Every structure is written in structure tokens, then in C-alpha cells.
Amino acid sequence: MKHKHQDSIIRLAFGEHDSETEKRLLEAGVGDADSQKEFELVSLIREGLKKAGHDTPQCQMSIERVRDAILNQNIRETRNSATFWSWASVGVAACAFLYVLSNNRSSLPETRLVSNTEKTNFLQETPTMSDKQPDTQVVSAWQPSVLSGANVSAHKPKETTRKVADRPSLPAKWNDITSSIVKRTAETVARVATRSDATRNAHAVPFALSDASASIQNELFDSAVTGEQGEPIILINTDTDTDTGAQVATEVQSFENIPIGG
Amino acid sequence: MRTFLSAVSLVLVCLVPGHTQQKLLSLAESAVHEKLQGSVAVLAKSTKTQGMAVLIDNGGFFLAHRLSIKSGATTATMPNGRSLVLRLVQQDEPSQMVLLKADDWSPSYGAPVKLAREAVQPGDRVLAILPSGIARAEIANTNLFGVISDNRRLIPLFEIRLEAPADQIGGAAVFTLEGNLIGIIGAALKQPDPYNTTSQQRVGFGNSGGVARARSGATELKGLNRFSKPFGPTALTVAYVAGQNIMERVVHGFASPTREVEHPTLGVFCRDSARGGALIDYITPNSPADKASLKVGDIIFELAGLPIRNQLDFAKAMMNQSVGQRVVVKVIRNKDLLNLTVTIGK
């Protein structure tokens, strides 16, 4: 606001306002005593510049340079604009890339719905060993303070339809660079954070660990995304096939959302 | 001499009525079948056969699949005609195996079988002893993993192709050509929909009907890479038995004084975390994981020095642990890294 006012004073002193504005400002006064002093000072500078000689080119008499001199108490060094803008564009591009990358990662859901009908049926079966079955409803009731990623994502159907295969894959070189950084970070952190007691850890983990945790998560993410496709996995349903007398087995490429005990 | 024996064997096999497959057995296969006569029993309920029981201990302890047992006691018949009453002693949920004990057993009734110790390879010829007779089979894959719906534990599996399209193969015992036990069939691949070329079961098939229909279409044949060269004269069935390590653990446990099988466990259920690692979904109360303060929502990324990229890595890593062993589990909780020491339970 102050700069705007100063700018107006400078423009007035240099006669760059239109006639109506100039007339209005001169009639109403430029403001308080300080503003008046400033106006007079700028007017003097303008006059001084005019009297400085004929060597001063007209373009150097521009309002921009005078204003910079007044506001910064110095005249800026002239930049090599070509070099500056080439580096700036590279920096902006890098920032934009990192921003897009981080956004894509952070928007991934913790769990995904299984689109395959058979996998859904597999999940919906009534378990026979109730004390060993992972039931998300039971979990939330049993420990309401801990809201797992699975429970959270259960209420976000749009997100849960995304799959691992839908994730944007990273360039190999980028993976190499990040993995080397991650490894170094993890090694450093491992030296610092060797604790065996969970309670102690929960209360006393150094703040810097958050960054290392993120690094390890990134490494895990990379390995999960680039993980090789192995043999199919066999889902064995306890229903007995009447033809073979054996349980019904089906092949799937991954379990994705089916919890496995261990 | 060998030619003479082969000729005699062929004549005998052709003359003796029995299962169709038995007529096609080689001399070696017939010898194995003969050797196993005193080591197996056909489980039956009323008039319907349920599977096979395999003698694993001189004390009359038989191994069978849970499929074959419908109650605490069942009747069984050995190939020599001896009738037995087998009672359920122990069952192992992860492998679905059960231990049965014969009433009034005498060691002279039969000799226990040995487990196959040698590494079984894909392509190895094996024999399946079915309630209806014997069937030639082949190991198709030894690098598979499966999950059983009711206990949701990962289990290594062997895939087996059998020349037994029209038989009850559930509960059948599979042996090497040396007569050593590989496993007991618990599941068979679901018969594919022959008219649905996009079906995920296109790569495999269930029984003869599926094979016949699958072969009728060129499109289907392209998807049958693993099964496009059947070795036998008849159609195939794809079945699964528990892997060698699991079978060894089961038999060792059943033969122990407690008759219990000890599978290493933490007492957690995990699923894939979207950002990698195994996300803990449930913790069994009072389990080793519970005692070590693992929490629901923790992401396991290392177990006993092994990197954990997903739930499969976690389950595989757990299978290689020993009960009572203390291991370090590295987890991410919120944004913190935790190193927790856990004692592997059973």
C-alpha cells in the first residue's frame, strides 16, 4: 500500500499521470507532510537528472530505474536476462515435476477393492475360525482409536477402485537416484533409531525420522510398483467339487485386498 | 529276464480286472503300487469312498486330508481287505491334514511310508493312489503358493496333473516312483468355462469335459501352454498338494509325543499396503504380535532381515521362521520407524 502511494508520488513528480489525475492530485495534495517531502525530493531528483547533462540518454531517465533507486536505496545491477531465464525455466520445470509426482503418490489409496467376482466371494465366506479372522467391523469396534487405512478407504469407493497397475510408473533412472538416496538415509536412520521397546519409540522418535520414514515408504512403493509378476496364486475354496471330490481351486494373479495370516 | 518280467506283468495286468489306469501302468509303477498295499487305506462312509489314509507311524497313525473325515471316527479298508476303525486324533488347520489312529492296530498289518526327501521337480512322474485304484500323474509346478479360504494362511503347493478325469481325486495320496509320500490332494483346479476365452482359468482345466471342450477351439489351445502336451492317453485333472516343507513339518509334528504341528506365526493378518510393505489388518489378541505391541495399521517392511514388499513377502518370510525364535520386525507407524523384537509363536 505504501509502495503504491510512493509510486503515485513518483509518477506525479515525473509527470506520468494523465492530466485529470495530475490535476486532482495537485489540488487535493499528495498527502501528509512526509508524502509532501517525498514528492519534493523526487521532483528534485527529476530536475537534477535533467540538469545532469546531455549525456544521460532519455531511456535512462525512465521511471523504473529512478523508482528502484528510491525504494532500494541503490541501483540494481543489470542482469544477463538470457542466462537468468534459462536457469529459472529449468528450476520451474523441476519443481513442477516433483509436485506432480508427489501428488500422484499421496493420492493413492491404502487399499483397493477386488474387482474379480471370485475374490469377492472368497472374502465374503463365513469364516470357521472366528478368533483368527480379520473382520474390519470387529477391528473398528474392538479398537476404535485406531482407524486403519483399510477402514478409512472403505468409505471412499472412488479411490478404492484404483489398482496397482494404474499407478504411474517411474523412469528407471529416477528410481536409481531415489533408491540410492533412500538407502543412505535409511542407513543413517538405522544407526540413530535402534530401539526395541514400542512404547519408548512411540513417544521418543526423533522428529527427523519422519523424513526417513517417507524415504523408506518411497522405496517400498518403488519396489511394489516395479515388482516382478510371479506365478499365479491359488485360492482354495472349502466348497467341495462334486465331480472331483476335492476343494475348488482357482488361479489369480494377486491377492491385493485379501488379508493373509502369518 | 527283464523282458520276461515285463511280459508276465503285462499279462497279469491285462487279465486282472481293475481300474482302467492300472492296465496302463509300467512294471515299476506296478511295483510301487504293490509296495504300498500295506501302507494305505481307503476311507469310506457307508458305501461312499472319501479318500485315502496313509500309514505314517508303526503305532497305527494314519495321515489323511480333512476332506475325507466327516466325523470323529470312520471306517477304512486296506487293499488286502483288512477293515479298520480310524479315530481323529489331531488336525492341522493350515495344511488341512488330520491324524487318525487305528483301533486295535498291530505293526504286522503294514509298514509306514516315508516322506519324499529328494527334491521333486516339475516333469517328474508320480503315482496317485485313489480310492478307485491308481493313476499316473506328473508334477507340473513346485513353485506355487495358495491360500485356503477358511484360515487364510499362505501355503506352498505342488501342482499335479493326473490321468484321472472321472474319478474322485479329493484325498488321494501322491507318491514318487520310489514309493515315498509327496502329499495328499486337497484341491483341484476349477473347470473353466470353455466358451469364455477371457476366463482366468483358461490356462488350466478341471476334468475331461473341460479338456475336450478346450481342445475343440483353436483360441482355447493358445491359452493352454502349460497343458498343451498331455503325456497320457486320457484327459487330465489338475490338482494340488501341500509342498514338501509343509508336509515334512506336518508329519514330524504328528509323529511327535504331543502330536501337534508347529507352524510359525505372529498372529497378524496383513494385506498389501498401497505404498509397499504389509499393512497389518488384524492382530489376534494375546498373540506374539500383540505382546510385542504391533498395532493395526502398522506397515511391516522388514522381518528377520528380509525385505517385505507386500503381504506375500510377509507370509513367505514367516514360513521360513522357527517357533520360539526372536526376530526383529521393522514397521512404519504413522511417520515413525519402529524396530520391534518379536518371539515367533505357533
Side-chain angles (χ1 to χ4, degrees), chain A residues 221-249:
Chain A
F221 172 78
D222 291 344
S223 65
V225 170
T226 58
E228 71 282 356
Q229 288 287 324
E231 292 285 349
I233 300 160
I234 311 300
L235 295 183
I236 298 176
N237 198 311
T238 48
D239 293 341
T240 305
D241 184 89
T242 51
D243 291 334
T244 62
Q247 296 168 122
V248 178

Side-chain angles (χ1 to χ4, degrees), chain A:
Chain A
M1 189 67 186
K2 188 179 177 185
H3 283 190
K4 194 175 178 183
H5 184 61
Q6 282 180 327
D7 189 60
S8 179
I9 290 171
I10 293 166
R11 281 174 175 274
L12 182 62
F14 276 74
E16 292 189 359
H17 281 303
D18 55 46
S19 56
E20 272 189 28
T21 310
E22 186 176 344
K23 188 179 178 184
R24 181 170 49 81
L25 285 172
L26 288 172
E27 283 176 357
V30 291
D32 55 9
D34 288 342
S35 300
Q36 188 62 39
K37 276 186 181 178
E38 200 163 349
F39 174 66
E40 289 169 1
L41 179 65
V42 175
S43 299
L44 279 173
I45 292 170
R46 171 68 177 170
E47 290 305 315
L49 282 170
K50 279 184 178 176
K51 290 175 183 174
H54 304 286
D55 294 341
T56 307
Q58 192 58 35
C59 62
Q60 292 288 325
M61 300 286 288
S62 75
I63 188 171
E64 302 293 338
R65 289 181 63 78
V66 175
R67 181 170 51 204
D68 286 347
I70 292 167
L71 295 179
N72 299 326
Q73 302 298 308
N74 199 356
I75 295 180
R76 277 184 199 163
E77 188 181 345
T78 309
R79 292 192 192 104
N80 184 341
S81 59
T83 311
F84 171 77
W85 285 113
S86 60
W87 280 109
S89 59
V90 169
V92 168
C95 290
F97 175 70
L98 289 173
Y99 177 77
V100 170
L101 197 69
S102 63
N103 265 9
N104 279 335
R105 285 185 176 183
S106 59
S107 65
L108 289 173
E110 277 295 303
T111 53
R112 302 160 299 283
L113 289 177
V114 182
S115 57
N116 188 291
T117 313
E118 286 173 343
K119 281 187 259 179
T120 308
N121 292 338
F122 187 83
L123 273 173
Q124 287 172 347
E125 282 173 6
T126 306
T128 56
M129 297 178 65
S130 59
D131 60 333
K132 290 185 179 178
Q133 298 311 307
D135 186 331
T136 52
Q137 296 301 320
V138 172
V139 168
S140 56
W142 172 60
Q143 199 172 30
S145 61
V146 178
L147 189 61
S148 72
N151 292 335
V152 172
S153 62
H155 302 290
K156 297 178 181 176
K158 284 182 182 176
E159 288 185 357
T160 54
T161 54
R162 294 189 63 177
K163 291 185 175 183
V164 174
D166 297 332
R167 296 172 189 161
S169 59
L170 301 176
K173 196 172 180 182
W174 172 257
N175 277 344
D176 293 343
I177 294 166
T178 50
S179 64
S180 65
I181 295 169
V182 162
K183 277 179 186 170
R184 279 202 298 274
T185 314
E187 283 168 7
T188 309
V189 168
R191 285 197 296 272
V192 176
T194 47
R195 294 163 186 267
S196 58
D197 182 67
T199 313
R200 232 181 340 148
N201 270 297
H203 296 289
V205 170
F207 180 74
L209 282 183
S210 298
D211 294 337
S213 171
S215 298
I216 288 174
Q217 283 195 337
N218 288 340
E219 187 181 27
L220 289 169
F221 172 78
D222 291 344
S223 65
V225 170
T226 58
E228 71 282 356
Q229 288 287 324
E231 292 285 349
I233 300 160
I234 311 300
L235 295 183
I236 298 176
N237 198 311
T238 48
D239 293 341
T240 305
D241 184 89
T242 51
D243 291 334
T244 62
Q247 296 168 122
V248 178
T250 51
E251 288 181 338
V252 294
Q253 279 304 321
S254 72
F255 288 144
E256 290 190 352
N257 215 23
I258 301 172
I260 299 178

Side-chain angles (χ1 to χ4, degrees), chain B residues 31-47:
Chain B
V32 172
H33 188 210
E34 186 66 31
K35 175 186 170 184
L36 294 171
Q37 296 290 304
S39 306
V40 294
V42 178
L43 296 165
K45 186 179 182 183
S46 64
T47 57

